[in-house]
Amino acid sequence: MDLSKLLSNDPLLRAGLSAAAVIFVDLCALVILIAASRERRHSDRRWAHENRGFMLACGENLYPLGAAEIVIGRHPSADIRFRDGEISRFHAILTLSAGNWQIEDLSGNGVTVNGRRIDAPCILHRNDVIGIGRRKLTVIRGKKG
């Protein structure tokens, strides 16, 4: 039997099938939203565990380490931005790997950790002092959110 002929002859059936299709799509969207919400909560818990609440303190300013990669520099797109002339546009990068934060000099102009210039990625610990230009950033552990 020709389905288009049946649908054109019965407007009530056509309306019912349209309503069923809309309900099906809405249910699919709801399932996706619920799954995404659960994944987000799981991801947030995992991030909080991996990140361990570390921040950088520079004077009165606190910089939460809220991403797996954080660029420090004077460029407007840097995650932690300083407008000092002795700091490169993209001076250093902090990365979280296997539960450890590490810093790497991207500039060649120098990054120090606890007064020693680094020439390779360096794992950071609580109370380490990072020197970038004249800035001193201390690795601290903030309150868990």
Side-chain angles (χ1 to χ4, degrees), residues 117-133:
R117 187 172 174 148
I118 63 169
D119 56 3
C122 177
I123 293 178
L124 297 171
H125 305 286
R126 183 191 285 178
N127 298 323
D128 281 351
V129 177
I130 301 166
I132 297 178

Side-chain angles (χ1 to χ4, degrees), residues 44-45 47-49 51-55 64 141-145:
D44 287 349
R45 283 192 302 268
W47 174 254
H49 175 72
N51 179 15
R52 298 183 295 169
F54 281 110
M55 303 178 164
R141 187 145 184 201
K143 294 179 183 174
K144 289 191 177 182

Side-chain angles (χ1 to χ4, degrees), residues 22-136:
V22 168
I23 290 170
F24 177 74
V25 169
D26 286 348
L27 285 174
C28 289
L30 181 62
V31 167
I32 291 169
L33 288 172
I34 290 169
S37 175
R38 293 175 107 189
E39 177 60 27
R40 175 66 189 251
R41 284 193 306 268
H42 175 72
S43 178
D44 287 349
R45 283 192 302 268
R46 188 177 69 237
W47 174 254
H49 175 72
E50 286 183 33
N51 179 15
R52 298 183 295 169
F54 281 110
M55 303 178 164
L56 295 180
C58 184
E60 297 294 318
N61 297 318
L62 293 177
Y63 302 97
L65 304 182
E69 292 184 344
I70 297 172
V71 175
I72 302 172
R74 70 171 199 274
H75 193 273
S77 67
D79 300 300
I80 298 175
R81 184 175 177 209
F82 298 114
R83 296 185 179 171
D84 302 354
E86 69 274 1
I87 295 177
S88 300
R89 290 175 300 176
F90 301 104
H91 200 100
I93 187 167
L94 292 162
T95 54
L96 180 64
S97 177
N100 293 310
W101 282 102
Q102 62 183 18
I103 189 164
E104 182 176 357
D105 185 2
L106 298 176
S107 69
N109 291 332
V111 172
T112 62
V113 175
N114 299 325
R116 291 188 169 157
R117 187 172 174 148
I118 63 169
D119 56 3
C122 177
I123 293 178
L124 297 171
H125 305 286
R126 183 191 285 178
N127 298 323
D128 281 351
V129 177
I130 301 166
I132 297 178
R134 289 179 288 179
R135 302 284 179 150
K136 302 292 182 213

Side-chain angles (χ1 to χ4, degrees), residues 18 53 78 124 138:
S18 294
L124 297 171
T138 304

